[in-house]
Amino acid sequence: MAFTLELRQKAPDFKLPATNGRSYSLSDFHDAQVLVVFFTCNHCPFVIGSDEVTRATAEKFAKNGVSFVAINSNSANTNPDDSFEGMVKRMEENQFPWIYLHDSTQEIAKAYGALRTPHFFVFNQNRELIYTGRGLDNPRQSEKATVNDLENALSEHLAGKRITTPLTNPLGCNVKWDGKDAHWMPAEACDLV
């Protein structure tokens, strides 16, 4: 079995605490026409470099019923900057237009097969995976990006078209797995394309 969720597979459920003091499950987003679940963190330069583009994409498509949910699965034991307290501070400072969830056990990262930060998973109304991979082709320096694969996928899907590129490799720092070296990846994790 592939490490990362494959196209057309259903979104795995979750119940995770958010920085706003609530807990959320997949069903809390049942009204969304499209749900974007993305794995992110507090410290990664690829996340920080592309956050404002991700914000712009989330805001652009909100009127089309697209909801964004961010999940931090990084171990604070591997990188202390990725603590829940750091998540709360980051949301207070940046006021991102998404719910920011904490996956302290890393079970949800494993269920989705998150490889890097950021790693995007786009689900249709039936919560089937229709796109996964990167947001930008240069997330660390978003001003130099030439392709926004996430935005392209959302635009095509909402226009009723087939997604031209439904699968890309996520670009970013690897997920920081608890008890492992900062650069460790599960043996079964591999490039998506």
Side-chain angles (χ1 to χ4, degrees), residues 20-143:
N20 64 10
R22 290 182 51 199
S23 285
Y24 291 84
S25 298
L26 192 62
S27 60
D28 288 310
F29 305 96
H30 69 274
D31 287 344
Q33 296 290 312
V34 177
L35 184 64
V36 179
V37 176
F38 68 106
F39 290 82
T40 185
C41 66
N42 300 328
H43 83 279
C44 171
F46 294 86
V47 167
I48 293 166
S50 59
D51 265 340
E52 289 308 314
V53 176
T54 305
R55 180 200 301 272
T57 301
E59 290 173 345
K60 175 179 178 177
F61 290 101
K63 66 183 182 296
N64 300 105
V66 178
S67 293
F68 277 63
V69 179
I71 300 176
N72 176 18
S73 298
N74 276 6
S75 170
N77 294 324
T78 307
N79 192 313
D81 291 340
D82 286 325
S83 68
F84 185 72
E85 294 73 25
M87 292 171 59
V88 172
K89 183 173 183 240
R90 189 156 155 66
M91 284 299 278
E92 286 172 352
E93 290 173 353
N94 293 282
Q95 298 293 307
F96 291 123
W98 49 72
I99 301 296
Y100 195 12
L101 304 175
H102 190 216
D103 174 25
S104 62
T105 67
Q106 304 188 310
E107 287 305 310
I108 304 307
K110 290 174 189 163
Y112 281 75
L115 298 172
R116 303 191 174 277
T117 55
H119 188 167
F120 294 88
F121 295 81
V122 179
F123 298 94
N124 64 16
Q125 197 164 17
N126 296 324
R127 297 301 175 256
E128 297 163 335
L129 186 66
I130 57 172
Y131 172 81
T132 187
R134 67 191 188 187
L136 302 172
D137 64 345
N138 191 343
R140 190 170 188 152
Q141 297 174 288
S142 58
E143 69 282 358

